């Protein structure tokens, strides 16, 4: 570990000082005041303990050792004194407190991982559950978000501390990984909005019912029709087929405004992760869950990967959110893609935005339209 100077420590947040103290094996560091903690860190690492005082102390020490040597008679005593000084030299080995690494309890500290949701004030939360907000979500400070250049939808992990008095959520101590890689230095990546959209050209596997309406990586597939026409059944078949046929695809099911029983059915019917929830949740919470799933898919596309969102149902979202969610579907010239396959109910506008349209009749029959993909 690099020896830190007092100025660096004084400029560091308390959480960083705790992390350093834990690495040095300091006991009871969480109970120390900031200045005392800094002194303890400097003393333990043998760093800038007191640069100006250390040199003057060494001179008198040397003089004290030389004096017995000049005197002829006390020479035996000088030898005796040399032996006790060998013992203190052994003591530092016992004082090498880092050795009892089992006591370095920060390792067993609770770890958290999940998808980052960034708030308007610059702070954020790691959403740890599939249903959006929960009491187990972990607070992420604005400083951590800035330092690691985090974005909404990033999958992050790191150690957490429990909530203190007047805090409702646990807090992230430090960001260890971002999207499976090291948090620092931040990964260089483009912004999704700056990628060049192109028509999809790589066909994806689909149920036999969609053979005449091909769709590919980056398609926007609208499945429309009245209630009971079989849109949900078709979406489950699509999700199952894609997850089984394309291991490189990150398939995610997003539920918006469905019945509670359908949430259970979806989770038992498909192997892909299911996020979102049923209609009893507030409209704001439903929009937030859908848009966070979209942000996660965008982050994958920025890194050249391929994501698929299967949404049941788009019509439960307000018009503005419908455009943001469905409009994220695209193939990019740079290589990544986001495919959006959504039930749209009787909403007509999403059909204009779609690259592939499946219009179901009340009897389950369908009219299929695929654009520019063979």
């Amino acid at each position: 570990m690099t020896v830190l100077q007092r100025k660096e420590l004084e400029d560091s947040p308390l959480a960083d000082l705790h992390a350093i103290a834990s690495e040095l094996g300091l006991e009871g560091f969480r109970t120390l005041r900031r200045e005392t903690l800094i002194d303890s860190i400097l003393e333990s690492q043998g760093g800038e303990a007191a640069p100006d005082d250390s040199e003057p102390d060494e001179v008198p020490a040397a003089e004290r050792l030389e004096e017995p040597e000049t005197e002829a008679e006390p020479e035996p005593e000088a030898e005796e004194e040399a032996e006790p000084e060998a013992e203190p030299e052994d003591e530092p080995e016992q004082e090498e407190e880092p050795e009892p690494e089992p006591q370095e309890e920060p390792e067993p500290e609770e770890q958290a991982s999940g998808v980052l949701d960034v708030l308007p004030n610059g702070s954020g939360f790691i959403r740890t559950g599939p249903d959006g907000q929960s009491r187990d979500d972990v607070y992420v400070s604005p400083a951590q978000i800035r330092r690691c250049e985090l974005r909404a939808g990033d999958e992050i992990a790191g150690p957490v501390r429990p909530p203190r008095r007047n805090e409702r959520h646990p807090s992230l101590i430090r960001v260890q990984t971002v999207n499976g890689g090291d948090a620092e230095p931040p990964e260089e990546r483009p912004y999704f909005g700056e990628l060049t959209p192109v028509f999809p050209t790589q066909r994806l596997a689909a149920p036999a019912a969609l053979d005449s309406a091909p769709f590919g990586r980056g398609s926007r597939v609208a499945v429309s029709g009245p209630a009971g026409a079989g849109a949900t059944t078709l979406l489950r078949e699509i999700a199952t087929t894609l997850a089984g046929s394309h291991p490189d695809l990150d398939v995610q099911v997003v539920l918006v405004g469905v019945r509670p029983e359908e949430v259970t059915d979806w989770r038992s019917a498909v192997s892909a992760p299911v996020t979102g929830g049923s209609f009893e949740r507030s409209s704001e919470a439903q929009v937030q869950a859908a848009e966070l799933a979209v942000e996660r898919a965008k982050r994958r596309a920025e890194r050249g990967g391929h994501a698929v969102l299967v949404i049941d149902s788009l019509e439960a979202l307000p018009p503005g959110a419908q455009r943001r969610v469905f409009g994220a579907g695209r193939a990019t010239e740079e290589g990544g893609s986001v495919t959006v396959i959504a039930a749209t109910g009787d909403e007509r506008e999403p059909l204009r935005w779609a690259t592939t349209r499946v219009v179901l009749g009340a009897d389950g029959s369908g009219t299929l339209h695929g654009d520019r993909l063979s």
Side-chain angles (χ1 to χ4, degrees):
M1 177 176 179
T2 307
V3 175
L4 298 169
Q5 303 302 314
R6 179 177 292 277
K7 183 71 173 68
E8 295 177 273
L9 295 173
E10 288 174 346
D11 292 341
S12 299
L14 187 58
D16 289 356
L17 295 179
H18 283 172
I20 294 167
S22 114
E23 286 181 27
L24 291 170
L26 296 180
E27 292 186 7
F29 61 85
R30 293 190 184 279
T31 63
L32 299 179
R33 298 184 56 176
R34 185 184 181 88
E35 285 306 315
T36 310
L37 178 59
I38 290 173
D39 291 339
S40 300
I41 291 172
L42 289 170
E43 183 180 346
S44 175
Q45 70 171 355
E48 187 209 39
D52 296 329
D53 298 338
S54 61
E55 288 180 316
D57 281 347
E58 284 173 4
V59 179
E63 285 170 10
R64 278 196 299 273
L65 288 172
E66 285 171 10
E67 275 175 27
E69 286 176 16
T70 35
E71 293 178 30
E73 280 207 342
E75 199 172 327
E77 283 181 22
E79 282 179 49
E80 280 180 64
E81 280 180 44
E83 272 185 70
E85 291 204 53
E87 280 178 3
E89 278 182 60
D90 286 17
E91 271 182 69
E93 283 181 31
Q94 284 181 318
E95 205 186 336
E96 242 178 20
E97 230 77 44
E99 205 217 318
E101 266 166 34
Q103 238 173 327
E104 235 184 83
E105 296 287 317
E107 239 62 54
E109 257 174 340
E110 189 182 345
Q111 297 279 318
S113 62
V115 180
L116 177 66
D117 189 4
V118 179
L119 306 182
N121 66 2
S123 65
F125 284 91
I126 300 176
R127 304 297 180 193
T128 55
D131 300 326
Q133 297 181 21
S134 78
R135 294 180 65 87
D136 295 327
D137 292 341
V138 176
Y139 174 77
V140 183
S141 72
Q144 291 170 322
I145 291 174
R146 285 194 303 270
R147 183 165 62 247
C148 298
E149 298 178 12
L150 303 176
R151 302 177 189 174
D154 279 336
E155 296 177 62
I156 65 176
V160 300
R161 65 162 177 79
R164 296 183 181 137
R165 198 175 355 180
N166 300 327
E167 292 180 343
R168 295 175 59 190
H169 295 272
S171 295
L172 187 70
I173 296 172
R174 64 182 175 278
V175 184
Q176 277 185 336
T177 64
V178 180
N179 300 318
D182 291 337
E184 297 185 44
E187 175 190 7
E188 285 189 24
R189 48 184 170 162
Y191 283 92
F192 183 78
E194 296 172 358
L195 299 177
T196 310
V198 295
F199 280 103
T201 57
Q202 300 176 54
R203 184 168 181 169
L204 292 172
L210 293 184
D211 274 348
S212 59
F215 62 92
R217 298 174 191 262
S219 288
R220 292 181 298 278
V221 183
V223 180
S224 67
T232 296
T233 302
L234 181 57
L235 289 181
R236 285 181 193 160
E237 290 176 9
I238 292 172
T240 301
T241 303
L242 291 176
S245 304
H246 301 283
D248 65 320
L249 284 182
D250 179 26
V251 180
Q252 185 175 0
V253 176
V254 183
L255 302 181
V256 187
V258 300
R259 292 172 293 180
E261 299 81 9
E262 290 179 296
V263 177
T264 305
D265 286 349
W266 265 107
R267 287 183 174 152
S268 61
V270 299
S271 58
V274 178
T275 62
S278 57
F279 65 84
E280 79 270 10
R281 303 176 69 210
S282 70
S283 58
E284 292 81 7
Q286 294 181 56
V287 169
Q288 184 185 37
E291 293 192 330
L292 186 58
V294 169
E295 291 302 319
R296 180 176 175 273
K298 287 179 178 179
R299 301 295 82 83
R300 188 171 183 87
E302 288 169 350
R303 305 194 306 275
H306 302 281
V308 176
L309 298 175
V310 178
I311 303 173
D312 188 11
S313 141
L314 197 67
E315 66 178 329
L317 294 173
Q322 285 184 19
R323 284 192 293 273
R324 291 192 296 273
V325 170
F326 202 44
R330 69 193 64 182
T332 69
E333 201 171 70
E334 291 76 8
S337 70
V338 176
T339 305
V340 181
I341 303 165
T344 61
D346 288 327
E347 294 282 333
R348 309 312 297 172
E349 195 170 17
L351 294 177
R352 296 192 298 107
W353 310 329
T355 56
T356 299
R357 299 178 296 282
V358 181
V359 183
L360 299 174
D363 59 354
S365 61
T367 307
L368 313 175
H369 306 274
D371 292 348
R372 299 181 66 102
L373 187 67
S374 56

